[in-house]
Every structure is written in structure tokens, then in C-alpha cells.
Amino acid sequence: MLQHERKMTVTRKIPPHVFFFVSAVFHYLGPSFAVLLFSYASVLGVAWLRIASAAIVFAVWRRPWRIFPQMPWAKQRTLLALGIVLGLMNVCFYLAIARLPLGTVGAIEFLGPIALAALGARTRRNIVALLLAIGGVWLLTDVRFSGQPLGFLFAFANCALFILYVMLGHQIAQDGDAAGIDRLGAAMLIALILITPLGLGGALAALTNPLFVLAGIGVGICSSVIPYVCDQLAMARLSQATFALLLSLLPASATVIGVVVLRQIPSVLEIAGILLVVSGIALHREAEAQPRKQGTKPQLRKRRNVAKDQ
């Protein structure tokens, strides 16, 4: 117990932005290697390998099934929702990157969080920021829309699911670092149950080759274990709006990793679109906290009279 508390104390000393930076790097590093597995397993099979390997790691590391029966129904419902979102989000993401460049999918995915951040502070500045981001995504979609419309459908579905992931992730992170990670592990097991009928058949060919199995495990650790754990460590100490703002790193990291690992060189219009998205989030500002009102004038007058009588 003391050792566990000591580990949590160490993580508390690390700035939450560091966890977010690590998450941003691994968020697309794992999927970039997953693209290389598409020749040996179906897209849904690769998605299953990612979720299954991550679920196994969480099962061995955290044994998350212990906490589920002890939780009230409201929190169990949140975990079930997060598990479904994780499963569908991974499926849509892989179906998208099988048809579109990683940088394009990353920028579309980021449109959801910037809209979520914009809802936190409705100002003219933030409206302009949101319009810049929308313009950037429009450039990206316009570049390749005629070639892969289905890919954009999956990319935007992944974007919507990513919003739900941020919202539900913050809910399970409210009780602290360790509790959030345990609940994340439980949600990953739920995601595995959901996706197994869809992806296990497409992964059977890869399961016969130990090298591909190791690659699948690597994808799961890089794509789901490291970034999702880092997200929980960051979400436990950052507001939902601030976390959404920091997601500006995602389209940039997706493009860089796409170039380095997959040799996907972006066009001038794609670069312009990504820059517009990043510029939009850089322009965005979080709303300042409003001072709490002490009460209406009649209420204040009544309080003064009571104080005088006393």
C-alpha cells in the first residue's frame, strides 16, 4: 500500500502537460505501425489485436474486474459507455487510416475536441478559432474527398467518438490517478468483448505468426496502454476544456509520424489545412472563472438586518 501511494506521489510531481505530450506522441505512433500490419491481417483484425493486447496488459497489471461489482450502477453505466466508445472508436479509426493519410485522419479527429473547447468559452475570439479549425478540416477533406468518401465517413465518426472519449474519460478520472486507470482497464475489457465478434476472424492469420503477434502487442501498448494511461494522469489534474485545448498537438504529431514512419508526404493544401487547425486552437482562450455571486440585493439586505439583530 505504501509503495502504491509512493508511486502516485511520484506521478503527482510530474507536470500533467508532460503526460499529455507522451500521450500525443504514442497516440499515432502505434497506429502508424498498425498500418504496416494491414498486409497480413484485415483492418478489423488489426483493431482487435490492438484492443486485445491492451486489455490483456490491463488485466495482468490492474486486475480491473475486481472494482466493477463494488461500483454503484451510475459508475458502472459510465464504464459500459466508455468501453463501447473505445471499441467503436478504434474500429472507425483503423477503417479511416486504411483509406486516408494518418495526418488527415488526425486533423479530422481533432475537430471534435476544438468544438468541445469552444463550448467552454463562447467569445468572438473562440468563434474565430473554431472557424479557422473548420476551414483547415475543409481543406483536408476537399483534397481527397472525391477519392475516399467512405474514409471520411469513418474519420468523422471517429471524431464524434473521440469527443465522447474525452468526456467519459474525465468522468472516470475524477477520483484520482489510480482509480481512473483501474476503471480504464475495466472499460478496455468491455471494448474487447464488443469488438471480438467483429475482428477476431480477421486477426486469425496474424495469430499464427509469432512476429505478427509481437507486432500486435506492440501496437496495443503504444496505441492504447501508454496514451490512455497518460490521458488519465493528465485528466485527473486538468479541466476538460484545458485538456481539449492541449489536443492541438495531435494533428501535428500525426503528420510528423505519418511522414517519418509511413512516408506519407503531405501536400501544400494538407499542410495549410493542418496549420489552420493548429492556429485555431492556438487562438482559442479558456474562459476566466467568474467570481461567485454573494446573493441578490434583497438577500444581502436581509443578511445585514439579521446580523444587526444579533
Side-chain angles (χ1 to χ4, degrees):
M1 184 68 180
L2 292 176
Q3 184 179 4
H4 175 73
E5 292 179 353
R6 193 178 300 113
K7 289 180 179 179
M8 289 297 102
T9 302
V10 172
T11 60
R12 285 283 172 175
K13 292 181 179 180
I14 301 175
H17 302 78
V18 173
F19 293 117
F20 182 87
F21 177 76
V22 174
S23 173
V25 172
F26 282 94
H27 189 81
Y28 293 118
L29 183 60
S32 67
F33 291 120
V35 172
L36 304 177
L37 287 173
F38 286 162
S39 300
Y40 309 100
S42 70
V43 176
L44 293 178
V46 175
W48 183 87
L49 285 171
R50 167 181 172 171
I51 294 177
S53 57
I56 292 172
V57 170
F58 279 115
V60 174
W61 176 30
R62 309 298 300 186
R63 290 180 288 177
W65 56 82
R66 300 176 301 170
I67 65 169
F68 196 82
Q70 305 170 1
M71 300 171 61
W73 165 240
K75 292 187 176 182
Q76 289 179 348
R77 185 173 53 194
T78 300
L79 282 188
L80 288 171
L82 180 59
I84 294 171
V85 166
L86 286 173
L88 295 178
M89 183 176 70
N90 280 279
V91 167
C92 290
F93 182 79
Y94 279 101
L95 290 172
I97 65 174
R99 295 166 171 82
L100 299 172
L102 186 60
T104 302
V105 176
I108 294 173
E109 181 179 55
F110 177 62
L111 182 61
I114 193 176
L116 191 63
L119 291 175
R122 300 178 182 89
T123 63
R124 292 182 180 179
R125 181 185 184 120
N126 290 339
I127 291 174
V128 173
L130 185 59
L131 291 175
L132 283 174
I134 292 173
V137 173
W138 181 85
L139 281 178
L140 288 167
T141 55
D142 186 62
V143 172
R144 297 178 182 270
F145 186 75
S146 59
Q148 291 286 359
L150 188 59
F152 285 100
L153 177 64
F154 288 124
F156 278 105
N158 173 66
C159 169
L161 291 164
F162 193 62
I163 295 176
L164 293 176
Y165 163 71
V166 174
M167 297 173 66
L168 294 170
H170 267 87
Q171 289 186 32
I172 70 170
Q174 289 177 354
D175 293 336
D177 304 336
I181 295 173
D182 289 339
R183 293 172 186 174
L184 173 65
M188 193 62 68
L189 290 176
I190 295 170
L192 176 60
I193 295 172
L194 174 70
I195 196 177
T196 293
L198 299 175
L200 179 58
L204 291 177
L207 292 176
T208 60
N209 189 315
L211 183 61
F212 297 154
V213 172
L214 289 175
I217 294 173
V219 169
I221 293 174
C222 291
S223 300
S224 296
V225 177
I226 295 176
Y228 290 164
V229 168
C230 287
D231 283 350
Q232 279 299 303
L233 294 173
M235 287 176 179
R237 296 158 63 189
L238 296 173
S239 69
Q240 182 174 291
T242 301
F243 186 83
L245 291 176
L246 287 174
L247 288 170
S248 59
L249 292 174
L250 294 185
S253 63
T255 302
V256 172
I257 291 172
V259 171
V260 173
V261 179
L262 302 177
R263 306 300 184 205
Q264 294 176 343
I265 308 301
S267 68
V268 175
L269 283 179
E270 288 173 319
I271 293 175
I274 293 170
L275 289 177
L276 281 175
V277 173
V278 176
S279 298
I281 200 60
L283 181 65
H284 180 95
R285 287 294 180 271
E286 192 171 0
E288 296 181 359
Q290 298 295 327
R292 293 182 60 184
K293 295 182 179 180
Q294 300 298 324
T296 61
K297 289 184 178 180
Q299 290 173 335
L300 293 174
R301 193 180 299 115
K302 184 177 180 180
R303 291 174 189 170
R304 294 193 194 100
N305 293 334
V306 172
K308 288 179 180 178
D309 293 338
Q310 293 176 345

